[in-house]
């Protein structure tokens, strides 16, 4: 039986940088914003707080919902086996951390593929292996206080 997975992400912007999680293998890693799956009986906001504590090791303040993104794997992964398909609905929130925290990250329960916590310069985000790439111009617009797009951004990878 197929299920839709509810997920949360934290968009943390500070000093023209976005906080990312480096995942994969050194030399072929990718960067994503912190987050993960929502647990049963957990609010979206509580899931953001928990995921940030697990992946970056700090307490956060959850702000407004910025985007809702879907990932329907069959639309993005060529020749994917039917029994390995995923459908994820991500709720991406504006999140703040204490001003004094810039590089003091000690993940509490990092993902098994997590290599580190990295601030990436927003102006150069497209030079990194950042996912989903479709968010890059939207993150740049948010950083410049110029985003006027939709909250629902669709099925993007």
């Amino acid at each position: 039986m197929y299920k839709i997975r509810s997920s949360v992400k934290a968009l943390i912007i500070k000093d023209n940088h976005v906080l990312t999680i480096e995942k994969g293998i050194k030399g072929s890693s990718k960067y994503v914003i912190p987050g993960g799956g929502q647990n049963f009986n957990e609010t979206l906001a509580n899931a953001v707080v928990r995921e940030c504590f697990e992946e970056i090791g700090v307490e956060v303040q959850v702000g407004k919902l910025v985007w809702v993104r879907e990932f329907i794997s069959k639309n993005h992964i060529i020749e994917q086996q039917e029994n390995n398909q995923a459908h994820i609905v991500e709720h991406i929130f504006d999140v703040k951390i204490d001003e004094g925290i810039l590089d003091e990250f000690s993940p509490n329960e990092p993902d098994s593929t997590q290599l580190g916590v990295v601030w990436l310069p927003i102006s150069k985000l497209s030079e990194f292996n950042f996912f989903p790439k479709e968010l890059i111009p939207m993150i740049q617009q948010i950083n410049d206080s110029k985003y006027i797009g939709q909250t629902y951004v669709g099925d993007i990878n």
Side-chain angles (χ1 to χ4, degrees):
M1 176 181 202
Y2 298 104
K3 294 183 180 180
I4 297 174
R5 179 178 180 222
S6 179
S7 176
V8 296
K9 292 286 188 173
L11 180 62
I12 304 170
I13 295 176
K14 197 170 200 178
D15 299 328
N16 300 309
H17 288 72
V18 63
L19 190 68
T20 65
I21 302 298
E22 182 181 10
K23 294 184 148 205
I25 303 167
K26 278 286 189 200
S28 66
S29 57
K30 69 178 183 177
Y31 299 88
V32 297
I33 57 178
Q38 178 186 20
N39 292 331
F40 187 74
N41 285 332
E42 182 179 46
T43 67
L44 291 170
N46 286 345
V48 173
V49 170
R50 177 185 51 76
E51 284 291 339
C52 285
F53 189 71
E54 289 175 2
E55 293 184 356
I56 63 177
V58 298
E59 296 289 330
V60 299
Q61 296 83 46
V62 180
K64 70 177 184 169
L65 177 67
V66 180
W67 298 303
V68 175
R69 167 201 175 222
E70 290 188 88
F71 174 76
I72 302 172
S73 63
K74 74 176 184 80
N75 296 338
H76 303 286
I77 301 172
I78 299 171
E79 298 179 16
Q80 186 179 33
Q81 295 180 7
E82 188 173 335
N83 64 347
N84 197 26
Q85 292 181 2
H87 184 166
I88 301 168
V89 178
E90 282 184 348
H91 306 83
I92 303 169
F93 287 86
D94 177 36
V95 172
K96 303 290 183 222
I97 59 175
D98 288 337
E99 286 298 315
I101 299 173
L102 289 176
D103 294 312
E104 302 172 21
F105 301 107
S106 299
N108 186 32
E109 291 182 46
D111 290 344
S112 61
T113 59
Q114 183 172 331
L115 300 174
V117 180
V118 182
W119 287 105
L120 294 180
I122 293 173
S123 64
K124 296 181 179 184
L125 207 49
S126 59
E127 297 174 20
F128 295 88
N129 196 19
F130 178 86
F131 283 93
K133 294 192 180 310
E134 290 90 341
L135 286 185
I136 293 173
M138 293 185 276
I139 292 171
Q140 291 168 336
Q141 291 171 5
I142 291 262
N143 187 54
D144 295 337
S145 301
K146 294 181 180 176
Y147 185 75
I148 56 171
Q150 302 265 338
T151 299
Y152 176 70
V153 297
D155 175 22
I156 59 175
N157 185 32

